[in-house]
Amino acid sequence: MTSTSVRRHKATGLVVLLAGLVTTGIGYAAVTSTAEASVPQASQGQLDQGHQIFLEGCATCHGLAAQGSSDGPSLIGVGAAAVDFQVSTGRMPLAAPDNQAPQKAVVYTADQISALAAYVASLGPGPSIPSASDVSTTDAELAEGGVLFRTNCAQCHNFAGRGGALSDGKYAPSMMNATPTQMYEAMLTGPQNMPVFNDKTMPPAQKQAIIKYIKNLQQAQAPGGLALGSYGPVTEGVFIWTAGIGALLAAAVWIGAKVR
Amino acid sequence: MSVIVKEVGRALGRADERLPVASGLKKNLRKVFPDHWSFMLGEIALYSFLILLLTGVYLTIFFKPSMTDVVYHGSYQPLVGVPMTEAYSSALGISFDVRGGLLIRQIHHWAALFFMAAMMVHMFRIFFTGAFRKPREFNWIIGGSMILIGLLEGFAGYSLPDDLLSGVGVRIVAGIVESIPIVGTYLLFFIFGGQYPGTDFIPRLYTFHVLLVPGILLASVGLHLVLVFYHKHTQYPGPGRTNENVVGFPLFPVYTAKAGGFFFVVFGVTVLISALVTINPIWAYGPYVPDQVTAGSQPDWYIGFVDGALRAFPSWESQFWGHTWSWNIFLPCVVLPGLMVTALLAYPFIESWVTGDTGEHHLLDRPRNAATRTSLGAMAIAFYGVLVINGANDIIAAAFNLSINQLTWFTRIGIFIIPPLVFLSTHRFCMGLQRRDRELLLHGRESGQILRLPHGEFIEIHTPISDDQKAVILSKRDIAPLAIPAATDQNGVATPGLAGKKIRAKLSGFFFQDNVARPSAAEIEAAHHHAHEVHDHEITELHEAGKQAPSQLTD
Amino acid sequence: MSNSHGTDLNVHAATGDEPVFPLPPHHHRLTDTDPRAAKRAERQIATMFILSALGMVGFVVAYVMVPTTSYLDLGPVGVLQTSNLLLGLTFGTATLLIGVAAIHWAKKLMADEEIIDHRHPVGSTDEDREEALAAFNAGVAESGFAERPLLRRTLIAALALFPIPLIVLLKDMGPLPGDSLRHTIWRKGSRIVIDVSGQPLRPEDMSVGSLVSASPADLNDIQEAEGNQNARAKASIILVRMKPGEIVSEQGEGWSYQGILAFSKICTHVGCPIALYQQRTHHLLCPCHQSTFDLADSGAVVFGPAARRMPQLPITVDNEGYLVAQSDFHEPVGPSFWERP
């Protein structure tokens, strides 16, 4: 919430590079390295299983060597995180091409998904699946997460994470059923039209704060009562014109009705 | 009981020696009000206004209209430690740290939505029954103005908490002010005390919201009611109801109980809604920061039509003489609402000019009998409705998986097509009802009983309608449209203002087009006579009932 | 029926064609004829009044017993503030019962025979009008208003100027705009920092598809000095990165840096902050009125009511490798205004 002051000094190229490392934060440098562009560790058996699944379920659109086609982008270098997000939310494999891939029932088991992810990760370096400690929110600041959420997420996903419309039938989905891992992966990889929030522009600690805030939103806090979908004044207006005015009109009809 | 009467009588006597209350009470305690559910709609608005005054005063005790920066340390955890304005912080305090504060805030906001919705529904009733006609045109203007003033008041209240949603709304208003030619930029700086957002706006808006506008509204409400009282309430046509009387129940005790009771019903329903349904969860929006925004940024529903127009308007802007004309903002947000309000307020005068009707009207029209007025009203509602729906196009797109771009184009085209279609279909519908009324008077109601005549013909027996129904149907007044004036009078002198008179006559013809004339007494007599002749000898036992009707119509 | 005009209230009778239907006879209610039904209604009404009183007591109990920090999990409805729920239910029900009971009383037990009141024309009688006019004329004559045009005209002149001081006083409601809407606090070399964290940014920190909400490094100091958010309301920007080949049109040479582009975050329509960046299409959508800008094409308007493209901030890197502004925006940011050339 406050800007950190930046050290300025004249320096040679090497010192500039070092200074950059300092300011981006040594504290989370270790975490960063695990979540981004790490070399996958997977058994040959897993890679073979992943390759098999890829050929059956993905190659039609993404190409036999995952090089991409007119129907689907190249998967070389997208990393395990992107695969895990797309497949574990049911977005992939795609049922039919549309404005964007909708969430639907998950096709593969957890084992199959990790095998597939390992296979795609082996094709080129990309963000790996965040670990349990990456998505842990125990040390995260809820209020800071709120500020970050309103700065970076609310514009598309709405103030309560219920989603919203984008151009030409595209949309930012509701976050109500997303798991912390999926939230992290989405930020890391920028699925579909979502921008990328990599670990440099949004360090893991900030991602964890945002995840903590979204988890809080998922708990359906509704101090004032039924939240009407948390869509803002539109549903409130619909409510007053239907239930509200309806109830009072019914009362007025009762008052005006003749008694036998 | 007698004790009460004696005590009240004694108190009245003492009071009357100081102020002649008795003469006022004598006239008004038994003042007659006609009974109909649709006459209670204005009361919903009135009672919502009273609820707004009561709860508003309570909120002023705790609300701090200040844009000073503070850091929140209240009991709502997700915002602890977040910098915000004192206004937002105190609104959070009302919601989470004042006992009953959240309830009062929600009652205040729900009542505001009720107030605006009820005023509109009430206006629809007034319009479609022609209750705005002489001598009530001035009261129509007061009422219409109150909707406009209520809209401004509601927007001010929505903006005061300085949350992220309302802050974006204020930002939009600032943009609208900037679009006003010549004076816009200066107005912006005067309203905000400098550049947007500054630190003066919330305190200024607060005075506007709690003092200036409520004062104007209160005075308007008072005048509105005085005029209703003075003119005596209109009534629907029916047996015993004429333009010269008013039939109903006395103010005391029946209306005191019914209207007083209705106040508690409106209040109770508003409180129950506030207990069960969230409105404007300011805590969830977060504090206003000029570089944050939420998807689905919307105004409250009554501003929706302006927002809808703003969304649909094409991106027109022009440069003349080194200056910018923001047609894309100025036309939908300033000119269009201005025209809509002007048309609304002027309607009673336009209609009476077109029809040439200058008489006093206390008996209400049935909407079908003023088909053009009814269709114009329906058309206006359709126009307004399309704009309101477009104001929610992003929510609709998200909820029903549609494209915002297509919805916008739907509005851009539909705003020109849907209202005329609504006009035509309403007009046809009214004509159908008029023809049915005429049939009912002439031939009675189809009974569903089929008779076979001796020569093989099948007929359906028509039973005459009741006197109550006849009284209602016969309330229709057929007015001839104004005649198109001749270019010169019989002496060859040119008619002064001929063009204007011709336009007026044409409009008059339009207003009364396709009118289905109410049958005259002679026609009704003839129709019944004919019906009797046809089956006189076959169904003698049935025509006792039929005989009553024509005899009723001869006086 | 002929066209009926005029203020004559007896329009209908005058035409001689109007049937008259008398008020139908009054029908008695069950409560009028059956004392037991009346008693039953009385009991119902009294019960409602008693329940209402109990509800009000319940409200006070809830007020005293339930703190605002207590919450109640109602499953699908959500986690509700217990105090709001209980206070509202008790007070609302109790209030509603008063109303329902009073109306029930009026409908069932109060006399329900319709009575007739007569209307009189709204206007005054002709004599009254004449007398009023005479009184007014007498006043005009006595004042000399008509005979003394000098007094009349000077009075009108004085009254016409009377509101001017009241209007002039409003001038100090705000400073004059000057050229303040034309500039932001961006200037040559302003370092770009990420919103919220305040971290400066290197080009290599952004991936293709990245979106960063950012502001000038000195924004917080300026805000503190000015005591308002005016600087932020104009200086907010977003940074996006795309493949340099995807950029179809640029403002000029060197406005972007290695595919990183900086645009104002303030919509040119009516000023909403926009960050609905769709990284595949490079479209930026305003959540308020759906103006859509193509960031790959100089921020050109591709849909919606906005008339002006999104202003771009020319950026480069400083000698430490951080992204900085080359200058202020070359045009005013935010909505159009009259003085804008």
Side-chain angles (χ1 to χ4, degrees), chain B residues 4 40 46 68 85 111 195 213 296 366 425 438 493 545:
Chain B
I4 293 174
M40 315 293 286
L46 172 67
T68 308
T85 59
Q195 293 189 61
V213 182
R366 301 174 79 208
S425 50
R438 186 182 160 90
V493 181

Side-chain angles (χ1 to χ4, degrees), chain A residues 1-4 6-11 15-21 23-25 28 36 73 86 144 147-148 150-152 155-156 165-168 170 188-198 200-203 206 219-227 251 253-260, chain C residues 27-31 71 75-82 84-85 99-101 103-104 107-108 112 114 189 191 193-202 204-213 217 220-221 232 265 273-285 287 292 319-322:
Chain A
M1 276 151 271
T2 55
S3 70
T4 38
V6 182
R7 288 165 54 203
R8 293 159 200 248
H9 51 91
K10 304 243 184 285
V15 178
V16 170
L17 207 71
L18 282 170
L21 267 176
T23 43
T24 41
Y28 52 79
E36 204 169 77
Q86 299 284 357
E144 189 201 358
V147 176
L148 288 163
R150 289 187 289 277
T151 304
N152 295 296
Q155 72 260 27
C156 297
L166 298 173
S167 302
D168 297 313
K170 297 189 287 286
L188 207 54
T189 62
Q192 320 229 10
N193 262 302
M194 177 168 162
V196 176
F197 297 91
N198 65 32
K200 297 276 178 39
T201 61
M202 184 179 282
Q206 292 192 354
Q219 284 163 5
Q221 291 278 355
L226 209 61
V253 169
W254 172 62
I255 294 171
K258 281 245 178 312
V259 179
R260 305 260 163 241
Chain C
H27 290 285
H28 288 293
R29 297 164 295 190
L30 188 62
T31 42
Y71 281 82
V77 179
V79 185
L80 276 64
Q81 193 189 71
T82 320
N84 184 65
L85 182 70
V100 173
I103 295 165
H104 198 48
K107 287 178 60 124
K108 291 277 182 174
D112 81 328
E114 287 187 309
R191 199 169 269 186
V193 299
I194 304 174
D195 269 345
V196 184
S197 71
Q199 292 288 339
L201 199 62
R202 295 165 163 283
E204 57 270 28
D205 291 344
M206 291 184 68
S207 334
V208 169
S210 269
L211 164 75
V212 173
S213 286
N220 283 332
D221 297 338
R232 182 182 292 275
K265 198 178 187 179
I274 324 184
L276 284 77
Y277 176 59
Q278 300 160 57
Q279 58 120 332
R280 293 254 175 101
T281 57
H282 309 129
H283 285 178
L284 185 67
L285 170 72
T292 312
N319 53 10
E320 291 172 51
Y322 292 111

Side-chain angles (χ1 to χ4, degrees), chain B residues 456-477:
Chain B
E457 185 192 346
F458 287 92
I459 57 160
E460 182 176 9
I461 297 172
H462 285 224
T463 49
I465 54 176
S466 70
D467 276 6
D468 286 8
Q469 219 176 341
K470 271 182 209 152
V472 171
I473 296 175
L474 285 170
S475 71
K476 182 170 190 289
R477 294 164 71 249

Side-chain angles (χ1 to χ4, degrees), chain C residues 129-146:
Chain C
R129 287 183 196 176
E130 274 159 31
E131 279 176 35
L133 198 61
F136 179 74
N137 287 340
V140 171
E142 285 168 24
S143 71
F145 192 76

Side-chain angles (χ1 to χ4, degrees), chain B residues 121-369:
Chain B
V121 179
H122 173 55
M123 178 182 73
F124 294 161
R125 200 282 291 169
I126 300 288
F127 183 85
F128 287 118
T129 59
F132 55 79
R133 290 172 297 173
K134 189 178 173 184
R136 296 180 178 79
E137 304 97 323
F138 185 54
N139 227 13
W140 168 262
I141 290 178
I142 297 173
S145 309
M146 277 198 283
I147 294 182
L148 181 67
I149 299 167
L151 188 146
L152 296 175
E153 176 72 343
F155 182 79
Y158 160 95
S159 302
L160 279 177
D162 205 22
D163 55 281
L164 185 54
L165 186 71
S166 71
V168 170
V170 173
R171 169 70 259 202
I172 294 170
V173 167
I176 293 170
V177 171
E178 277 181 89
S179 79
I180 299 172
I182 304 170
V183 294
T185 316
Y186 285 82
L187 270 183
L188 176 82
F189 275 66
F190 288 159
I191 292 171
F192 287 88
Q195 293 189 61
Y196 174 85
T199 52
D200 291 336
F201 185 65
I202 296 280
R204 287 176 183 181
L205 192 68
Y206 182 69
T207 313
F208 181 83
H209 180 74
V210 305
L211 180 71
L212 187 62
V213 182
I216 295 171
L217 272 178
L218 195 58
S220 307
V221 168
L223 195 55
H224 201 66
L225 291 178
V226 165
L227 284 175
V228 168
F229 229 77
Y230 183 76
H231 286 141
K232 295 184 178 165
H233 209 286
T234 52
Q235 61 188 350
Y236 283 101
R241 284 144 172 87
T242 69
N243 207 31
E244 294 86 46
N245 71 8
V246 49
V247 181
F249 298 112
L251 177 64
F252 187 76
V254 176
Y255 264 95
T256 316
K258 283 191 172 182
F262 196 41
F263 167 73
F264 288 99
V265 168
V266 173
F267 202 167
V269 167
T270 312
V271 176
L272 285 175
I273 290 174
S274 307
L276 296 169
V277 189
T278 305
I279 186 158
N280 196 21
I282 51 161
W283 53 87
Y285 297 126
Y288 178 62
V289 184
D291 58 9
Q292 292 177 0
V293 73
T294 166
S297 281
Q298 309 278 355
D300 274 348
W301 73 263
Y302 44 84
I303 313 276
F305 77 104
V306 182
D307 209 45
L310 189 57
R311 287 169 187 223
F313 216 80
S315 56
W316 296 345
E317 187 179 282
S318 33
Q319 304 282 132
F320 293 129
W321 311 293
H323 288 294
T324 300
W325 296 76
S326 299
W327 307 115
N328 54 344
I329 305 162
F330 183 62
L331 291 181
C333 293
V334 183
V335 176
L336 179 74
L339 287 177
M340 287 167 76
V341 170
T342 308
L344 179 79
L345 298 186
Y347 185 81
F349 305 100
I350 297 171
E351 188 188 298
S352 88
W353 181 73
V354 166
T355 58
D357 183 354
T358 54
E360 271 186 30
H361 296 282
H362 304 288
L363 207 55
L364 295 171
D365 271 337
R366 301 174 79 208
R368 69 188 65 174
N369 290 341

